[in-house]
Structure formats: structure tokens, C-alpha cells
Amino acid sequence: MRLQCTVAGVLLIGSSLWLQAFANPMVMSRTPEKVSKIAPKVFIVSMFEPETEIWWGIPEFDLLAHNITVPGLSPIYPDSEINAATTIMALTLSPLFDLRKTYFFIAGIAGVNPERATIGSVTFARFAVQVALQHEIDPRELPANYSTGYIPQGSYLPNQFPGNIYGTEVFEVNDDLRAIAVLFAQQAKLADSSAAQVYRAKYATPDGQKKIGALPPSVVKCDVATSDVYYSGNILSSGFDNITSVWTNGTGQYCSTAQEDNATLEALLRSSVRNLTDFSRIIVMRTASDFDRPHPGEEAVYHLLYANQGGFKPAVQNIYLAGVKVVEGILSGWNTTFAAGVTPSNYIGDMFGSLGGTPDFGPGRQLSLADAGVLRKRGLPKVRFA
Ligand SMILES: *[C@@H]1O[C@H](CO)[C@@H](O)[C@H](O)[C@H]1NC(C)=O
Ligand SMILES: *[C@@H]1O[C@H](CO)[C@@H](O)[C@H](O)[C@H]1NC(C)=O
Ligand SMILES: *[C@@H]1O[C@H](CO)[C@@H](O)[C@H](O)[C@H]1NC(C)=O
Ligand SMILES: *[C@@H]1O[C@H](CO)[C@@H](O)[C@H](O)[C@H]1NC(C)=O
Ligand SMILES: *[C@@H]1O[C@H](CO)[C@@H](O)[C@H](O)[C@H]1NC(C)=O
Ligand SMILES: *[C@@H]1O[C@H](CO)[C@@H](O)[C@H](O)[C@H]1NC(C)=O
Ligand SMILES: CC(=O)N[C@H]1CO[C@H](CO)[C@@H](O)[C@@H]1O
């Protein structure tokens, strides 16, 4: 599944949130209206109803204790990148909140690459890659030597580094925070289903290439691909796997596919540039509801549209089962660790270095900006990384 977006009705973690704003001397010393701002410790970002509702009625927290309407948020859960970006932008600019110390916990379901994880698994990303930000020609109009119809913008061949940079191609989040979140999530006993067990067993092949897809669900570190196009099948998945690797300079390995994360992260990046949010406080967790490609011997269309994969229900359950451990871990470690923040040892941000630091992917700040500056929507400027 790839998803739809809206913030989970702005459901806040517990009533102690209100206290946090008052406990902050910086807030106290400012104008009176700032004092009443809500300073959530954790913001859970859900992208459609099942992802939201799994948090309701749980024993750990009453997420319905405060129901706050935020102007600019979507009233329903419409999908994908445009809605995710506008919703999060509206949230970060809302005068209702002080989000400077808030942890943004993106917690949704996703498609999954059977070479890296399986249905029901809980994945945590370091990179979010906007894989479909490319030229596309229907393969039926291409010569046979093209491995895919996707060609990066400003380049001439599939699987090249793009010559035109938009700046939203790749986002990198705090790897040290990710490591802590993985430890928290590993305390959970994950849900599974018998239908998922039957389906994933079909991914076991003698060549062993997709053998991870056939193993039981677990907590995995691997990256997320963002695309409004809900792609499926071996060839597109392979092409986007390659692009993830090329665009992250060999560091990123995509396992999950969703429709929002580059958009959510762009909005959080822009607000972090203004110090309204802290880009080092983002966790991207995706639980796997379906495979992004068929098992050996299966037709791609049958796999996408008709097969009963059995992963949806455990994926939704695991958002809560693993996610609540992450939320509890942050709250119980608030005074000792999380109020001050977890300093990232890796670069965080975008290809432009918008938040400072030196990007460890992409051609570097100067070239990226130059490539972005010479952007022409149609027609190919010079190839930089042929
Ligand atoms: C929150 O409040 C809105 C507007 O009053 C209402 O439509 C919605 O159902 C409430 N949500 C929940 C989860 O109670
Ligand atoms: C396919 O072959 C043509 C002709 O040799 C060549 O120009 C083109 O670059 C090739 N395309 C790919 C993707 O290799
Ligand atoms: C991805 O890269 C592999 C290894 O270079 C290559 O065999 C495969 O054709 C590529 N996939 C696509 C769709 O370009
Ligand atoms: C954000 O905070 C940093 C570090 O304190 C500071 O250097 C920068 O000027 C601030 N930016 C804005 C837009 O306030
Ligand atoms: C954290 O500190 C606050 C304020 O000093 C205190 O009220 C709270 O009990 C502490 N929380 C934990 C988990 O120690
Ligand atoms: C990433 O790869 C590109 C293309 O090969 C290269 O120009 C760039 O220097 C690399 N960036 C880093 C940070 O290694
Ligand atoms: C906010 C943002 O940068 N969104 C981008 C995500 O991806 C789509 C294309 O798939 C772009 O059009 C958006 O600009």
C-alpha cells in the first residue's frame, strides 16, 4: 500500500503536553499568546484512517483527549505528495503549536522490496528518495536496449545521476535517532497473519535473491522510496532500487515504497530552516503491507490487483505495536535524552545543504544549486554525470 495523507487529526500524546510549553523558559519569556502554545513531545503522522484508528482506544495513551482543528489541514485523508506537503506545511506554520522540540514520527504502511524485508516488517529509513522525479517514456516506444522507461532529468540514460536538481530527490534524517527508534521497536512482539505466511513463503527461491521476503516479519533499517505513482512489478522496482542507490551515492537501499515521505520531509525541512521545527527529530517508520513485485512465476498484474497477500492487517497492527514502544521510549527518556535531542553523526537534510553541513550524497551544494538554477522544464541541458 502507498497511502494517503493527513496528520492524524492532530492527536496529541497525553495531556502532559500542555505542561511542556509552560516548562520552557524561552516560551515563558515571550509574548503572552506564545505561552499558551501547545508543545507536543511527539507528533504521529498518519496518512489514512486505518493508520490513525489503530492508535485509538489503546491502554498506553488517550490520543483522543484533545481534538484540535488546524486550519489548512485536509478534512479527509486524501493521498500522496501534494496533500502531505501542504498539510505538514500548514501544521508547521500554525500559531497553535511550538514544534521546536517535537519529534515527528511518520508512521504508515508501505509496499516492500522482498530483497530487503517482508510483509508485516517494520522498517526505519535514513534516506527518503523521490524516485519518480524523472522523465518517463512508455517502454513500448523505447528501443529494446532501455531497461526502463524512466530517465533522470538532465541525463540521457536510465540509472544515471540527474543533471537537473530539484532539491527534493533525496532527504536524509538522523541516523542516530533511527538507531534508538529501532531498539525501542525491537521490544515489540510483531503481529502476522496466516495468509501473509502463506504468501511470503512463495518468495523463497533456490537463487535466494528474495529470500528475506520469505522470512518472518522483523524490524529492519532500510530506506523509503516516494512516488505518487503506485508502481509495481520487477522492472520498475529494480529501476527505482537502482536510482535510490545512484542518488544516495551508494548508501541508500530502498525497501519501502510510499506516496508521501519526500513531501512531508520537504515541508519539515523548510520549517526547520526557519527554526520552527528541528529536522534532527524525525523518525520515518513504514510497516510493510504488500510486496512491490510479484513472487517468482507470478504475473505482475495478478500480484498487484488480485493476489491476497495478507499483509495489510498485520502492517496496520504493527504501526501501533512497534510505534507505541517508540513513543513510550521518547517520553520516558525525555528528561535524560530527548528534550535536549539526539545529535546526528550523519549529514541531515537535502541535496542543497539547506540546513548547513556537507551533503554525503549528490554533487555537493554548489553544483546542486547550479543544476537547480539552470533547470529547464522541457529539453535537456548538458549532461553532468554521463
Ligand atoms: C474531532 O472534531 C471534529 C470537529 O468537531 C469532528 O468532526 C471529529 O469527528 C472529531 N474527531 C474525533 C476522532 O473525535
Ligand atoms: C540504445 O542503443 C542506442 C543505439 O546504439 C544508443 O544510442 C542508446 O544510448 C542505447 N540506450 C541505452 C539505454 O543503452
Ligand atoms: C538495475 O541495475 C542492475 C545492475 O546494474 C541492472 O542489471 C538492471 O537492469 C537495472 N534495472 C533497471 C530497470 O534498469
Ligand atoms: C536558526 O537557528 C540558528 C542556530 O541558532 C541560527 O544561526 C539561525 O540564524 C536561525 N535562523 C532563523 C531563520 O531564525
Ligand atoms: C521530567 O522532568 C519533569 C520536570 O522536572 C518532571 O515533572 C517529570 O516527572 C520528569 N519525568 C521523568 C520521566 O522523569
Ligand atoms: C555523488 O555522486 C556524484 C556522481 O557520481 C558525484 O559527482 C558526487 O561527487 C558524489 N557525492 C559525494 C558526496 O560523494
Ligand atoms: C514538497 C515536495 O517537494 N514535493 C515533491 C514530491 O514529489 C513530486 C513529484 O513526484 C514533486 O512534484 C513535488 O514537488
Side-chain angles (χ1 to χ4, degrees):
M1 278 283 145
R2 319 295 156 90
L3 325 178
Q4 338 195 25
C5 181
T6 245
V7 174
V10 186
L11 300 171
L12 306 175
I13 307 294
S15 53
S16 61
L17 299 169
W18 293 90
L19 298 174
Q20 194 50 30
F22 288 99
N24 186 333
M26 283 182 67
V27 175
M28 288 296 280
S29 65
R30 291 195 182 180
T31 49
E33 72 270 18
K34 295 228 163 142
V35 173
S36 63
K37 283 191 180 201
I38 307 165
K41 292 186 175 108
V42 180
F43 220 117
I44 302 169
V45 182
S46 314
M47 281 124 307
F48 74 140
E49 285 93 332
E51 294 172 352
T52 304
E53 289 167 6
I54 196 70
W55 293 98
W56 296 355
I58 60 174
E60 294 88 350
F61 308 105
D62 179 8
L63 287 169
L64 299 177
H66 303 283
N67 181 356
I68 300 164
T69 302
V70 181
L73 265 60
S74 171
I76 50 172
Y77 292 90
D79 54 320
S80 74
E81 296 176 77
I82 291 169
N83 286 307
T86 49
T87 290
I88 298 295
M89 207 67 219
L91 173 72
T92 60
L93 295 177
S94 169
L96 294 169
F97 298 105
D98 175 354
L99 301 170
R100 290 172 300 167
K101 287 183 184 284
T102 301
Y103 285 81
F104 285 89
F105 185 25
I106 300 174
I109 62 169
V112 68
N113 175 353
E115 291 168 18
R116 312 245 154 78
T118 191
I119 44 179
S121 282
V122 178
T123 73
F124 287 86
R126 170 173 166 185
F127 292 99
V129 180
Q130 190 184 353
V131 292
L133 188 55
Q134 306 192 51
H135 296 294
E136 184 190 5
I137 295 174
D138 189 286
R140 286 166 294 195
E141 288 184 73
L142 283 170
N145 62 342
Y146 282 77
S147 57
T148 167
Y150 280 90
I151 301 162
Q153 310 211 30
S155 74
Y156 288 97
L157 298 169
N159 304 317
Q160 285 184 327
F161 203 87
N164 280 344
I165 306 289
Y166 281 56
T168 57
E169 292 86 351
V170 181
F171 293 99
E172 185 171 351
V173 300
N174 187 341
D175 199 28
D176 301 78
L177 178 60
R178 174 172 76 148
I180 293 171
V182 164
L183 290 178
F184 289 150
Q186 280 170 340
Q187 296 164 15
K189 183 173 169 4
L190 300 182
D192 198 5
S193 76
S194 49
Q197 285 164 5
V198 169
Y199 196 72
R200 76 164 70 85
K202 299 177 198 283
Y203 283 78
T205 52
D207 71 4
Q209 236 213 332
K210 295 171 187 168
K211 65 171 185 294
I212 295 172
L215 296 175
S218 61
V219 178
V220 187
K221 282 181 176 177
C222 50
D223 300 305
V224 59
T226 298
S227 167
D228 267 348
V229 176
Y230 190 138
Y231 62 86
S232 188
N234 284 304
I235 298 173
L236 285 179
S237 297
S238 156
F240 291 147
D241 195 8
N242 291 348
I243 280 299
T244 299
S245 175
V246 172
W247 291 4
T248 60
N249 287 57
T251 315
Q253 289 201 322
Y254 113 74
C255 65
S256 67
T257 69
Q259 285 175 314
E260 296 85 15
D261 295 344
N262 91 297
T264 303
L265 294 174
E266 175 67 12
L268 290 174
L269 182 108
R270 291 187 195 180
S271 53
S272 294
V273 168
R274 306 307 306 172
N275 294 337
L276 296 170
T277 57
D278 180 349
F279 203 78
S280 75
R281 299 178 183 228
I282 299 171
I283 298 168
V284 182
M285 182 184 85
R286 289 280 178 177
T287 63
S289 57
D290 56 339
F291 287 112
D292 65 0
R293 64 199 79 182
H295 59 71
E298 186 182 32
E299 292 281 344
V301 170
Y302 181 82
H303 167 77
L304 175 66
L305 301 178
Y306 303 108
N308 174 20
Q309 302 194 33
F312 180 82
K313 205 169 161 214
V316 170
Q317 287 172 319
N318 288 338
I319 289 177
Y320 157 64
L321 291 170
V324 78
K325 301 293 182 194
V326 175
V327 174
E328 286 181 320
I330 292 172
L331 297 189
S332 64
W334 187 260
N335 291 352
T336 52
T337 306
F338 295 99
V342 177
T343 305
S345 56
N346 62 312
Y347 169 78
I348 60 168
D350 62 1
M351 216 178 266
F352 296 142
S354 298
L355 297 169
T358 306
D360 55 0
F361 57 87
R365 177 174 167 79
Q366 291 312 320
L367 262 184
S368 294
L369 288 170
D371 284 340
V374 299
L375 183 81
R376 277 191 281 139
K377 289 284 176 203
R378 306 209 60 90
L380 295 166
K382 66 184 178 303
V383 179
R384 207 173 277 284
F385 301 114

